[in-house]
Amino acid sequence: MYIIGVTGGIACGKSTVSNELSKYGAKIINADNIAHWQLAPGGEIYNAYIEHFGRDILNDEGLIDRQKVAAIVFNDKEQLAWINDLAHPILLKHVRQRLVKYQSEGVTLAVLDVPLLFEAGWEKECDEVWVVHLKQGRQVARLMERNNLTFEEASGRIKAQMSGKERRKRADVVIDNNDSKISTKSQIKRLIRCKFPHLLRNYRRYRQRQLKEQFERLLGID
């Protein structure tokens, strides 16, 4: 099984790249999704957060308010380091469990979608790393819109991460996400054709299913 790590700065479009790879049959392991699961009541990270930060970080429903936590850690490097030291081993344990499962199922391509892949040292888990690149001005604008942040808040969160220049220097492949989605998808297709041509048939099947579903919706078929 071949493993691609997909990473990039916050709001750079990692999910767009991972979602496109899934259309070729890749199995996606999203570190953020695992973190959300572990942040739910009863999760390892949830319990550790309550013990460390207190119950003030909870919302009215007793769930972790991620915006409150973000406001704390992105202004305090020690707190951010504490979170990373806590979360990375827990997440890596679950990532490895899924990789073992996919290996046993005969999966040929797995993708690790990990925002802090280099920071956590997870590039060692991958056969190659793809970095999604977005110019900082666009990155700030996307983050402001997506998370309803001020310019200063968005800029601060971006600066708290590894620089885009450093990520690109360490990448095996750079996906330029500054143009249209069509351009990004074209880059991915070229890479699949070059590296994993046997997966192209999966995309053709995906498109056939998609067209069939669209046709059935037009006809009003459930």
Side-chain angles (χ1 to χ4, degrees):
M1 182 173 68
Y2 201 82
I3 302 171
I4 295 175
V6 173
T7 192
I10 186 170
C12 276
K14 295 179 295 297
S15 295
T16 297
V17 173
S18 294
N19 290 340
E20 191 65 14
L21 284 168
S22 72
K23 298 173 185 177
Y24 292 90
K27 292 293 186 180
I28 312 301
I29 303 174
N30 187 298
D32 274 348
N33 289 345
I34 298 175
H36 287 156
W37 166 45
Q38 287 297 316
L39 279 166
E44 291 179 72
I45 298 177
Y46 178 95
N47 294 332
Y49 272 27
I50 299 301
E51 183 177 347
H52 183 78
F53 294 113
R55 302 189 68 84
D56 288 342
I57 62 169
L58 300 180
N59 62 22
D60 293 339
E61 298 175 345
L63 304 176
I64 299 287
D65 188 324
R66 296 188 68 175
Q67 294 297 330
K68 288 182 179 179
V69 175
I72 295 171
V73 303
F74 282 110
N75 292 306
D76 189 324
K77 291 184 178 180
E78 290 185 4
Q79 295 282 23
L80 181 58
W82 179 86
I83 281 183
N84 290 335
D85 289 344
L86 165 76
H88 290 164
I90 294 172
L91 300 180
L92 184 57
K93 175 181 67 176
H94 291 285
V95 164
R96 285 174 171 166
Q97 287 173 353
R98 295 192 187 189
L99 288 173
V100 169
K101 176 177 179 290
Y102 292 149
Q103 179 79 54
S104 69
E105 293 173 351
V107 171
T108 59
L109 180 61
V111 172
L112 303 187
D113 184 326
V114 186
L116 303 180
L117 185 137
F118 289 125
E119 292 90 332
W122 288 12
E123 68 270 26
K124 299 171 186 175
E125 307 291 322
C126 307
D127 293 296
E128 64 180 68
V129 176
W130 294 12
V131 167
V132 185
H133 170 54
L134 189 67
K135 293 178 181 177
Q136 188 166 318
R138 294 189 177 190
Q139 186 183 3
V140 170
R142 283 191 184 185
L143 185 56
M144 289 172 63
E145 181 178 1
R146 191 188 75 181
N147 290 31
N148 194 28
L149 300 176
T150 65
F151 176 84
E152 289 74 18
E153 289 170 334
S155 299
R157 294 189 186 188
I158 290 168
K159 289 177 182 177
Q161 296 185 333
M162 178 183 290
S163 71
K165 182 178 180 180
E166 178 62 21
R167 283 196 191 90
R168 294 194 299 278
K169 185 170 71 174
R170 297 172 65 173
D172 297 295
V173 171
V174 175
I175 303 292
D176 188 338
N177 197 31
N178 287 288
D179 203 345
S180 64
K181 282 189 177 182
I182 293 175
S183 173
T184 300
K185 291 178 180 181
S186 295
Q187 293 173 65
I188 294 168
K189 188 170 186 176
R190 285 195 296 271
L191 287 162
I192 291 293
R193 184 181 290 117
C194 176
K195 295 171 177 288
F196 317 103
H198 64 287
L199 297 180
L200 290 171
R201 64 178 180 269
N202 292 331
Y203 186 79
R204 287 193 290 270
R205 290 170 184 158
Y206 164 81
R207 287 292 295 151
Q208 288 170 356
R209 289 196 305 271
Q210 189 180 51
L211 290 171
K212 182 175 180 291
E213 290 169 1
Q214 290 173 351
F215 183 68
E216 289 177 345
R217 282 197 297 271
L218 286 172
L219 295 178
I221 300 173
D222 293 329

mmCIF file of all heavy atoms in Angstrom, residues 96-124:
data_model
loop_
_atom_site.group_PDB
_atom_site.id
_atom_site.type_symbol
_atom_site.label_atom_id
_atom_site.label_comp_id
_atom_site.label_asym_id
_atom_site.label_seq_id
_atom_site.Cartn_x
_atom_site.Cartn_y
_atom_site.Cartn_z
ATOM 1 N N ARG A 96 -2.507 4.802 12.575
ATOM 2 C CA ARG A 96 -1.827 3.535 12.301
ATOM 3 C C ARG A 96 -2.810 2.365 12.310
ATOM 4 O O ARG A 96 -2.674 1.420 11.525
ATOM 5 C CB ARG A 96 -0.710 3.316 13.317
ATOM 6 C CG ARG A 96 0.512 4.200 13.045
ATOM 7 C CD ARG A 96 1.550 4.066 14.137
ATOM 8 N NE ARG A 96 2.799 4.741 13.766
ATOM 9 C CZ ARG A 96 3.777 5.017 14.623
ATOM 10 N NH1 ARG A 96 3.634 4.673 15.910
ATOM 11 N NH2 ARG A 96 4.871 5.625 14.216
ATOM 12 N N GLN A 97 -3.794 2.424 13.197
ATOM 13 C CA GLN A 97 -4.806 1.366 13.222
ATOM 14 C C GLN A 97 -5.569 1.312 11.894
ATOM 15 O O GLN A 97 -5.842 0.226 11.363
ATOM 16 C CB GLN A 97 -5.783 1.607 14.378
ATOM 17 C CG GLN A 97 -5.194 1.329 15.747
ATOM 18 C CD GLN A 97 -6.124 1.725 16.889
ATOM 19 O OE1 GLN A 97 -7.179 2.331 16.672
ATOM 20 N NE2 GLN A 97 -5.753 1.382 18.107
ATOM 21 N N ARG A 98 -5.902 2.470 11.363
ATOM 22 C CA ARG A 98 -6.625 2.503 10.086
ATOM 23 C C ARG A 98 -5.739 2.045 8.933
ATOM 24 O O ARG A 98 -6.205 1.367 8.013
ATOM 25 C CB ARG A 98 -7.161 3.906 9.829
ATOM 26 C CG ARG A 98 -8.209 4.325 10.853
ATOM 27 C CD ARG A 98 -8.944 5.566 10.446
ATOM 28 N NE ARG A 98 -9.816 6.020 11.531
ATOM 29 C CZ ARG A 98 -10.711 6.986 11.411
ATOM 30 N NH1 ARG A 98 -10.866 7.600 10.251
ATOM 31 N NH2 ARG A 98 -11.462 7.348 12.444
ATOM 32 N N LEU A 99 -4.467 2.409 8.980
ATOM 33 C CA LEU A 99 -3.552 1.961 7.927
ATOM 34 C C LEU A 99 -3.420 0.440 7.916
ATOM 35 O O LEU A 99 -3.399 -0.180 6.846
ATOM 36 C CB LEU A 99 -2.176 2.608 8.116
ATOM 37 C CG LEU A 99 -2.078 4.105 7.795
ATOM 38 C CD1 LEU A 99 -0.706 4.646 8.203
ATOM 39 C CD2 LEU A 99 -2.338 4.373 6.318
ATOM 40 N N VAL A 100 -3.348 -0.143 9.095
ATOM 41 C CA VAL A 100 -3.275 -1.605 9.189
ATOM 42 C C VAL A 100 -4.547 -2.223 8.609
ATOM 43 O O VAL A 100 -4.489 -3.224 7.872
ATOM 44 C CB VAL A 100 -3.071 -2.046 10.655
ATOM 45 C CG1 VAL A 100 -3.270 -3.547 10.803
ATOM 46 C CG2 VAL A 100 -1.682 -1.646 11.145
ATOM 47 N N LYS A 101 -5.689 -1.634 8.925
ATOM 48 C CA LYS A 101 -6.967 -2.134 8.417
ATOM 49 C C LYS A 101 -7.003 -2.072 6.885
ATOM 50 O O LYS A 101 -7.382 -3.040 6.217
ATOM 51 C CB LYS A 101 -8.117 -1.303 8.996
ATOM 52 C CG LYS A 101 -9.504 -1.650 8.474
ATOM 53 C CD LYS A 101 -10.562 -0.811 9.181
ATOM 54 C CE LYS A 101 -11.959 -1.112 8.665
ATOM 55 N NZ LYS A 101 -12.167 -0.618 7.290
ATOM 56 N N TYR A 102 -6.606 -0.923 6.324
ATOM 57 C CA TYR A 102 -6.635 -0.765 4.875
ATOM 58 C C TYR A 102 -5.650 -1.709 4.194
ATOM 59 O O TYR A 102 -5.922 -2.246 3.121
ATOM 60 C CB TYR A 102 -6.337 0.688 4.488
ATOM 61 C CG TYR A 102 -7.412 1.668 4.881
ATOM 62 C CD1 TYR A 102 -7.106 2.988 5.215
ATOM 63 C CD2 TYR A 102 -8.749 1.282 4.932
ATOM 64 C CE1 TYR A 102 -8.101 3.885 5.571
ATOM 65 C CE2 TYR A 102 -9.749 2.173 5.291
ATOM 66 C CZ TYR A 102 -9.413 3.474 5.622
ATOM 67 O OH TYR A 102 -10.401 4.354 5.976
ATOM 68 N N GLN A 103 -4.498 -1.904 4.829
ATOM 69 C CA GLN A 103 -3.502 -2.833 4.275
ATOM 70 C C GLN A 103 -4.099 -4.232 4.191
ATOM 71 O O GLN A 103 -3.938 -4.936 3.180
ATOM 72 C CB GLN A 103 -2.262 -2.850 5.169
ATOM 73 C CG GLN A 103 -1.168 -3.798 4.714
ATOM 74 C CD GLN A 103 -0.343 -3.237 3.568
ATOM 75 O OE1 GLN A 103 0.196 -2.137 3.677
ATOM 76 N NE2 GLN A 103 -0.228 -3.978 2.485
ATOM 77 N N SER A 104 -4.806 -4.644 5.234
ATOM 78 C CA SER A 104 -5.400 -5.987 5.264
ATOM 79 C C SER A 104 -6.512 -6.134 4.239
ATOM 80 O O SER A 104 -6.819 -7.253 3.800
ATOM 81 C CB SER A 104 -5.934 -6.300 6.663
ATOM 82 O OG SER A 104 -7.076 -5.504 6.966
ATOM 83 N N GLU A 105 -7.129 -5.005 3.845
ATOM 84 C CA GLU A 105 -8.220 -5.029 2.872
ATOM 85 C C GLU A 105 -7.721 -4.947 1.426
ATOM 86 O O GLU A 105 -8.520 -4.973 0.490
ATOM 87 C CB GLU A 105 -9.185 -3.873 3.146
ATOM 88 C CG GLU A 105 -9.941 -4.004 4.473
ATOM 89 C CD GLU A 105 -10.763 -2.769 4.807
ATOM 90 O OE1 GLU A 105 -10.597 -1.744 4.091
ATOM 91 O OE2 GLU A 105 -11.561 -2.821 5.759
ATOM 92 N N GLY A 106 -6.415 -4.833 1.260
ATOM 93 C CA GLY A 106 -5.854 -4.786 -0.087
ATOM 94 C C GLY A 106 -5.912 -3.417 -0.737
ATOM 95 O O GLY A 106 -5.783 -3.293 -1.966
ATOM 96 N N VAL A 107 -6.069 -2.358 0.063
ATOM 97 C CA VAL A 107 -6.088 -0.991 -0.475
ATOM 98 C C VAL A 107 -4.712 -0.667 -1.055
ATOM 99 O O VAL A 107 -3.682 -0.990 -0.450
ATOM 100 C CB VAL A 107 -6.459 0.017 0.639
ATOM 101 C CG1 VAL A 107 -6.259 1.452 0.168
ATOM 102 C CG2 VAL A 107 -7.900 -0.207 1.084
ATOM 103 N N THR A 108 -4.696 -0.041 -2.227
ATOM 104 C CA THR A 108 -3.405 0.254 -2.868
ATOM 105 C C THR A 108 -2.909 1.675 -2.609
ATOM 106 O O THR A 108 -1.712 1.942 -2.724
ATOM 107 C CB THR A 108 -3.488 0.046 -4.398
ATOM 108 O OG1 THR A 108 -4.508 0.896 -4.933
ATOM 109 C CG2 THR A 108 -3.814 -1.409 -4.711
ATOM 110 N N LEU A 109 -3.829 2.602 -2.271
ATOM 111 C CA LEU A 109 -3.429 3.991 -2.030
ATOM 112 C C LEU A 109 -4.188 4.559 -0.833
ATOM 113 O O LEU A 109 -5.420 4.551 -0.808
ATOM 114 C CB LEU A 109 -3.704 4.859 -3.258
ATOM 115 C CG LEU A 109 -3.339 6.342 -3.139
ATOM 116 C CD1 LEU A 109 -1.844 6.527 -2.877
ATOM 117 C CD2 LEU A 109 -3.749 7.112 -4.398
ATOM 118 N N ALA A 110 -3.453 5.025 0.153
ATOM 119 C CA ALA A 110 -4.039 5.685 1.315
ATOM 120 C C ALA A 110 -3.495 7.100 1.400
ATOM 121 O O ALA A 110 -2.356 7.371 1.011
ATOM 122 C CB ALA A 110 -3.718 4.922 2.597
ATOM 123 N N VAL A 111 -4.325 8.007 1.905
ATOM 124 C CA VAL A 111 -3.945 9.421 2.010
ATOM 125 C C VAL A 111 -4.100 9.868 3.453
ATOM 126 O O VAL A 111 -5.165 9.700 4.058
ATOM 127 C CB VAL A 111 -4.831 10.291 1.097
ATOM 128 C CG1 VAL A 111 -4.561 11.774 1.349
ATOM 129 C CG2 VAL A 111 -4.580 9.956 -0.368
ATOM 130 N N LEU A 112 -3.031 10.436 4.000
ATOM 131 C CA LEU A 112 -3.088 11.048 5.326
ATOM 132 C C LEU A 112 -3.279 12.540 5.150
ATOM 133 O O LEU A 112 -2.376 13.241 4.680
ATOM 134 C CB LEU A 112 -1.807 10.789 6.120
ATOM 135 C CG LEU A 112 -1.370 9.345 6.343
ATOM 136 C CD1 LEU A 112 -0.187 9.302 7.301
ATOM 137 C CD2 LEU A 112 -2.514 8.517 6.882
ATOM 138 N N ASP A 113 -4.451 13.050 5.488
ATOM 139 C CA ASP A 113 -4.751 14.479 5.418
ATOM 140 C C ASP A 113 -4.451 15.059 6.790
ATOM 141 O O ASP A 113 -5.231 14.908 7.730
ATOM 142 C CB ASP A 113 -6.228 14.654 5.036
ATOM 143 C CG ASP A 113 -6.621 16.107 4.832
ATOM 144 O OD1 ASP A 113 -6.069 16.983 5.541
ATOM 145 O OD2 ASP A 113 -7.490 16.375 3.990
ATOM 146 N N VAL A 114 -3.292 15.725 6.907
ATOM 147 C CA VAL A 114 -2.798 16.147 8.227
ATOM 148 C C VAL A 114 -2.287 17.585 8.155
ATOM 149 O O VAL A 114 -1.285 17.858 7.491
ATOM 150 C CB VAL A 114 -1.648 15.237 8.716
ATOM 151 C CG1 VAL A 114 -1.260 15.609 10.147
ATOM 152 C CG2 VAL A 114 -2.044 13.768 8.638
ATOM 153 N N PRO A 115 -2.945 18.532 8.844
ATOM 154 C CA PRO A 115 -2.494 19.924 8.805
ATOM 155 C C PRO A 115 -1.054 20.116 9.290
ATOM 156 O O PRO A 115 -0.288 20.862 8.693
ATOM 157 C CB PRO A 115 -3.489 20.634 9.728
ATOM 158 C CG PRO A 115 -4.698 19.766 9.737
ATOM 159 C CD PRO A 115 -4.186 18.360 9.610
ATOM 160 N N LEU A 116 -0.695 19.450 10.385
ATOM 161 C CA LEU A 116 0.627 19.640 10.983
ATOM 162 C C LEU A 116 1.519 18.419 10.743
ATOM 163 O O LEU A 116 2.228 17.973 11.634
ATOM 164 C CB LEU A 116 0.487 19.905 12.492
ATOM 165 C CG LEU A 116 -0.382 21.102 12.887
ATOM 166 C CD1 LEU A 116 -0.436 21.253 14.403
ATOM 167 C CD2 LEU A 116 0.140 22.393 12.255
ATOM 168 N N LEU A 117 1.505 17.912 9.542
ATOM 169 C CA LEU A 117 2.220 16.677 9.233
ATOM 170 C C LEU A 117 3.714 16.800 9.512
ATOM 171 O O LEU A 117 4.312 15.945 10.163
ATOM 172 C CB LEU A 117 1.968 16.293 7.779
ATOM 173 C CG LEU A 117 2.543 14.949 7.330
ATOM 174 C CD1 LEU A 117 1.548 14.189 6.471
ATOM 175 C CD2 LEU A 117 3.846 15.143 6.552
ATOM 176 N N PHE A 118 4.329 17.870 9.027
ATOM 177 C CA PHE A 118 5.765 18.042 9.252
ATOM 178 C C PHE A 118 6.062 18.340 10.713
ATOM 179 O O PHE A 118 7.031 17.824 11.283
ATOM 180 C CB PHE A 118 6.310 19.166 8.369
ATOM 181 C CG PHE A 118 6.376 18.821 6.909
ATOM 182 C CD1 PHE A 118 5.765 19.626 5.960
ATOM 183 C CD2 PHE A 118 7.057 17.691 6.470
ATOM 184 C CE1 PHE A 118 5.828 19.327 4.611
ATOM 185 C CE2 PHE A 118 7.123 17.373 5.115
ATOM 186 C CZ PHE A 118 6.502 18.193 4.188
ATOM 187 N N GLU A 119 5.227 19.190 11.318
ATOM 188 C CA GLU A 119 5.456 19.564 12.715
ATOM 189 C C GLU A 119 5.398 18.344 13.632
ATOM 190 O O GLU A 119 6.122 18.255 14.629
ATOM 191 C CB GLU A 119 4.416 20.595 13.167
ATOM 192 C CG GLU A 119 4.549 21.957 12.492
ATOM 193 C CD GLU A 119 3.746 22.068 11.207
ATOM 194 O OE1 GLU A 119 3.516 21.032 10.539
ATOM 195 O OE2 GLU A 119 3.343 23.188 10.880
ATOM 196 N N ALA A 120 4.512 17.389 13.290
ATOM 197 C CA ALA A 120 4.351 16.188 14.112
ATOM 198 C C ALA A 120 5.349 15.094 13.746
ATOM 199 O O ALA A 120 5.456 14.084 14.443
ATOM 200 C CB ALA A 120 2.930 15.644 13.953
ATOM 201 N N GLY A 121 6.102 15.286 12.658
ATOM 202 C CA GLY A 121 7.054 14.272 12.217
ATOM 203 C C GLY A 121 6.406 13.098 11.516
ATOM 204 O O GLY A 121 7.004 12.028 11.375
ATOM 205 N N TRP A 122 5.177 13.298 11.018
ATOM 206 C CA TRP A 122 4.442 12.189 10.406
ATOM 207 C C TRP A 122 4.841 11.928 8.964
ATOM 208 O O TRP A 122 4.343 10.982 8.350
ATOM 209 C CB TRP A 122 2.941 12.454 10.484
ATOM 210 C CG TRP A 122 2.374 12.334 11.856
ATOM 211 C CD1 TRP A 122 3.067 12.244 13.029
ATOM 212 C CD2 TRP A 122 0.989 12.289 12.204
ATOM 213 N NE1 TRP A 122 2.198 12.164 14.095
ATOM 214 C CE2 TRP A 122 0.919 12.190 13.618
ATOM 215 C CE3 TRP A 122 -0.192 12.348 11.474
ATOM 216 C CZ2 TRP A 122 -0.291 12.135 14.300
ATOM 217 C CZ3 TRP A 122 -1.396 12.286 12.160
ATOM 218 C CH2 TRP A 122 -1.445 12.171 13.554
ATOM 219 N N GLU A 123 5.727 12.731 8.416
ATOM 220 C CA GLU A 123 6.193 12.433 7.054
ATOM 221 C C GLU A 123 6.880 11.066 7.007
ATOM 222 O O GLU A 123 6.955 10.437 5.946
ATOM 223 C CB GLU A 123 7.141 13.527 6.544
ATOM 224 C CG GLU A 123 8.492 13.616 7.236
ATOM 225 C CD GLU A 123 8.479 14.544 8.443
ATOM 226 O OE1 GLU A 123 7.405 14.733 9.041
ATOM 227 O OE2 GLU A 123 9.559 15.075 8.770
ATOM 228 N N LYS A 124 7.336 10.588 8.168
ATOM 229 C CA LYS A 124 7.967 9.274 8.245
ATOM 230 C C LYS A 124 6.962 8.154 7.983
ATOM 231 O O LYS A 124 7.357 7.034 7.650
ATOM 232 C CB LYS A 124 8.610 9.083 9.621
ATOM 233 C CG LYS A 124 9.701 10.099 9.952
ATOM 234 C CD LYS A 124 10.128 9.988 11.401
ATOM 235 C CE LYS A 124 11.103 11.095 11.779
ATOM 236 N NZ LYS A 124 11.442 11.058 13.224
#
